[in-house]
Amino acid sequence: MVSLMQFKNFIWTKNPEKLSVSVTRDMKEMEIPFYGAVMQDYGAKKRIISGEGEFCGPQCMHTYQALSALFQQGGSGILKLPDLPALIAKPVSLSYEATTSPHVLRYKFLFWEDLAKPSPVFNGNAFRFSVLVKDDGESLWSIANREHTTVEELVRLNPQIRWPSYLHAGERVILP
């Protein structure tokens, strides 16, 4: 069974017909005299999630207005996508496209990933937050200190980490 898309407390009655998640990296090309060009990778940029679909039934306008209220309210929240990991996102735009019949309302939406917030990770039956390691050489000790927890707890939650004293940029560390 496919899971339904959700943002904060709003659950889609059916998933959007089109869903796009774009991921880009921040790359710069620098010219070095007498050497040539060198590419520098500054890491991943925010993910951009867009889509379109329709709400159906006699309550379609009410459903759209409930989602619109969340967009107008703003603020980051957990965005659960069908068959993809959840992420923290901010609503950017929501548009009412057309009614194709009295009980069908077409819409489009746009979310941006909020990289300032830790990412949620589904662990068991609940969401936990995680952080993304920014620099090579960071350690579980430095993360535990920053996040007010213990190294032992981070090791317990992150059995995938082989070297707790040296993490690589881009590794994800689940938080308690």
Side-chain angles (χ1 to χ4, degrees):
M1 183 176 158
V2 176
S3 62
L4 291 174
M5 189 166 154
Q6 180 176 347
F7 178 65
K8 293 184 178 179
N9 63 345
F10 183 88
I11 301 173
W12 272 249
T13 53
K14 73 174 194 171
N15 285 324
E17 296 155 7
K18 293 184 181 178
L19 181 64
S20 171
V21 179
S22 65
V23 180
T24 58
R25 298 196 64 78
D26 187 6
M27 303 289 288
K28 304 286 187 239
E29 185 175 26
M30 298 178 286
E31 287 289 327
I32 298 176
F34 309 110
Y35 181 78
V38 174
M39 294 291 287
Q40 182 68 42
D41 185 350
Y42 291 99
K45 290 184 173 183
K46 67 182 170 292
R47 289 177 277 183
I48 298 174
I49 300 90
S50 62
E52 59 184 81
E54 58 187 25
F55 296 127
C56 302
Q59 295 293 317
C60 64
M61 183 55 82
H62 175 72
T63 304
Y64 174 81
Q65 288 170 340
L67 182 58
S68 180
L70 278 179
F71 271 74
Q72 290 175 8
Q73 175 187 5
S76 298
I78 295 177
L79 177 63
K80 297 179 191 174
L81 302 170
D83 302 323
L84 293 170
L87 62 137
I88 301 291
K90 285 188 175 187
V92 176
S93 70
L94 176 67
S95 60
Y96 166 78
E97 293 298 311
T99 46
T100 54
S101 72
H103 297 297
V104 178
L105 183 148
R106 295 212 43 86
Y107 65 89
K108 289 184 180 180
F109 62 84
L110 180 67
F111 288 95
W112 285 0
E113 181 178 21
D114 187 351
L115 293 175
K117 307 276 187 201
S119 298
V121 175
F122 193 70
N123 189 352
N125 60 357
F127 278 95
R128 293 197 176 269
F129 288 95
S130 69
V131 292
L132 196 61
V133 175
K134 300 267 188 221
D135 299 313
D136 280 341
E138 198 170 348
S139 68
L140 285 187
W141 182 87
S142 63
I143 292 172
N145 190 34
R146 183 176 68 230
E147 300 295 333
H148 309 290
T149 188
T150 64
V151 172
E152 292 77 21
E153 182 67 6
L154 291 179
V155 167
R156 184 183 70 76
L157 291 171
N158 295 278
Q160 79 282 5
I161 294 177
R162 295 183 61 205
W163 302 103
S165 59
Y166 188 89
L167 302 174
H168 296 282
E171 269 188 272
R172 190 162 298 282
V173 178
I174 299 171
L175 301 176

